[in-house]
Amino acid sequence: QAKSNGRNCYYVFNEQMSSDLANRLQLEAELRLAISQQQFSLNLQPKVNLRSGQLTGFEALLRWQHPLRGMVGPDEFISVLEQAQLIVDVGYWVFERCCQLSNELAEMGLPHVVIALNLSADQFLQPGLPERFRQLMQQYNVSGQQFELELTESTLVSHVSQTLDIMHQLKALGFSFAIDDFGTGYSSLNYLKRMPVDTIKIDKSFVLGMLDNPSDYQIIVSTIAMVQKLGLQVVAEGVENYQQLQLLQQHHCDLVQGFYFSRPLPEAQLAAFVSQVTQNKWPAQLLR
Ligand code: C2E
Ligand code: MG
Ligand code: MG
Ligand code: MG
């Protein structure tokens, strides 16, 4: 039912909304518990360099082992973590786990792979983030060169001067930067020349459509060309089949990532995967 409040202004409040709110509060409470009970984990999805035909690194993707609902993906809870201002703490947990994983991968025989992690805007703008990252790296004896930070276009355009300052501090620690989901945000090309960005990740929606939709295909081809003319690296995310890979190879895309190569791997599957890589059995056959 709608409650009127002046002429053109009324509040709508119905059962659907109250249950949405109840759901969100329930989810928020469960997430607080998840933090204290360590129900989070990271899955790692490999990235392949098409020039060398080698694994170059992994992207760390957050997972939540819910006590009743099983494994839950970040699209279902990242926005709640952000709204509840829990993303900062979870983000530090993610980076700490990435430091540990970097050391574990080195012990497994992959000392030079880069681990990419995703950062929300609020987390990135959190005062003290570069210093906290520096302390964690010191604690685990790892360096910024081992990590890439994935930011979205909206993070970059929201607080430009603050963002630039933080990026320069993190650059000084050795981190590199990737723009995630490129082409789906504000698509302001201005920041590409102003910000110390190393890599552009073409959003998977374009890759998904590239075989059937001429616009998606042209966007991919011209983005690859533009990014390389700017002297940056380009990644295609969401590569699901060999036909997509072939076209990306023809257009000299630098890096690829997607289910065709590997799903994001649970930590328990990492050792077996790495042994395939160190024996040069992966990804050779997939590239043909
Ligand atoms: P993203 O960073 O753009 O990550 C790519 C998403 O696409 C991942 O979903 C991945 O599992 C999925 N994906 C990878 N290859 C393919 C493919 O070939 N086909 C299709 N259809 N999908 C593919 P996921 O893991 O559900 O993550 C969703 C989003 O959640 C991520 O998008 C990222 O924005 C966010 N996220 C993940 N982990 C974190 C985190 O630790 N912190 C923050 N702030 N955000 C995170
Ligand atoms: Mg990402
Ligand atoms: Mg993406
Ligand atoms: Mg995304």
Side-chain angles (χ1 to χ4, degrees):
Q1 63 273 40
K3 184 186 171 210
S4 79
N5 176 25
R7 261 203 328 162
N8 296 317
C9 175
Y10 48 85
Y11 301 118
V12 178
F13 190 82
N14 57 33
E15 276 166 30
Q16 176 61 41
M17 275 176 72
S18 77
S19 78
D20 284 354
L21 180 65
N23 281 339
R24 203 176 67 79
L25 291 176
Q26 164 82 21
L27 194 57
E28 197 181 307
E30 288 177 349
L31 283 164
R32 287 182 195 277
L33 207 64
I35 295 170
S36 64
Q37 300 190 345
Q38 304 185 23
Q39 294 167 0
F40 293 113
S41 64
L42 297 179
N43 279 5
L44 294 184
Q45 188 179 37
K47 294 186 191 180
V48 172
N49 183 316
L50 290 181
R51 231 171 291 280
S52 67
Q54 303 280 319
L55 172 92
T56 57
F58 295 93
E59 177 174 2
L61 294 157
L62 191 58
R63 295 291 180 267
W64 175 19
Q65 179 67 53
H66 188 281
L68 302 173
R69 290 197 282 143
M71 204 55 94
V72 183
D75 285 334
E76 294 187 49
F77 63 85
I78 289 283
S79 66
V80 181
L81 287 176
E82 287 170 349
Q83 285 169 47
Q85 277 142 23
L86 296 169
I87 193 68
V88 175
D89 282 346
V90 173
Y92 286 130
W93 178 84
V94 168
F95 185 61
E96 180 164 7
R97 188 72 195 108
C98 286
C99 292
Q100 294 165 347
L101 282 165
S102 183
N103 287 333
E104 288 169 29
L105 286 164
E107 276 169 33
M108 291 175 196
L110 295 177
H112 300 298
V113 293
V114 172
I115 299 181
L117 51 146
N118 297 280
L119 276 77
S120 296
D122 287 352
Q123 184 192 352
F124 190 68
L125 296 168
Q126 179 69 16
L129 176 116
E131 174 56 18
R132 184 76 177 269
F133 275 18
R134 195 192 60 74
Q135 287 169 1
L136 284 166
M137 289 193 293
Q138 195 170 33
Q139 182 184 338
Y140 290 98
N141 194 28
V142 291
S143 74
Q145 278 78 12
Q146 292 162 255
F147 305 101
E148 177 171 57
L149 305 178
E150 296 192 2
L151 305 173
T152 59
E153 294 173 300
S154 57
T155 302
L156 292 189
V157 298
S158 62
H159 296 83
V160 175
S161 69
Q162 205 184 342
T163 300
L164 254 180
D165 180 49
I166 299 168
M167 286 178 93
H168 286 304
Q169 291 181 52
L170 289 164
K171 273 256 132 189
L173 294 172
F175 289 93
S176 55
F177 287 101
I179 309 299
D180 208 350
D181 304 344
F182 185 77
T184 62
Y186 291 85
S187 298
S188 157
L189 299 177
N190 192 38
Y191 64 72
L192 281 185
K193 64 177 194 198
R194 295 186 56 191
M195 307 261 178
V197 168
D198 305 275
T199 301
I200 298 296
K201 297 188 76 176
I202 300 176
D203 189 66
K204 60 177 179 292
S205 60
F206 301 111
V207 177
L208 192 75
M210 72 183 287
L211 298 177
D212 307 313
N213 184 326
S215 310
D216 286 336
Y217 177 73
Q218 288 305 332
I219 288 169
I220 288 189
V221 171
S222 42
T223 303
I224 293 173
M226 176 190 72
V227 170
Q228 292 178 340
K229 279 177 188 149
L230 291 170
L232 309 179
Q233 258 197 335
V234 60
V235 184
E237 63 171 24
V239 178
E240 294 187 355
N241 59 54
Y242 185 63
Q243 292 91 305
Q244 292 164 341
L245 170 65
Q246 259 184 321
L247 283 180
L248 291 163
Q249 271 172 322
Q250 276 167 26
H251 292 282
H252 309 291
C253 186
D254 299 301
L255 304 173
V256 283
Q257 187 184 10
F259 295 167
Y260 173 71
F261 290 96
S262 171
R263 299 224 159 220
L265 300 163
E267 287 160 36
Q269 290 174 24
L270 206 55
F273 175 79
V274 169
S275 83
Q276 293 288 304
V277 173
T278 52
Q279 294 170 64
N280 288 319
K281 291 181 185 157
W282 197 97
Q285 331 86 295
L286 293 166
L287 296 165
R288 281 179 263 192

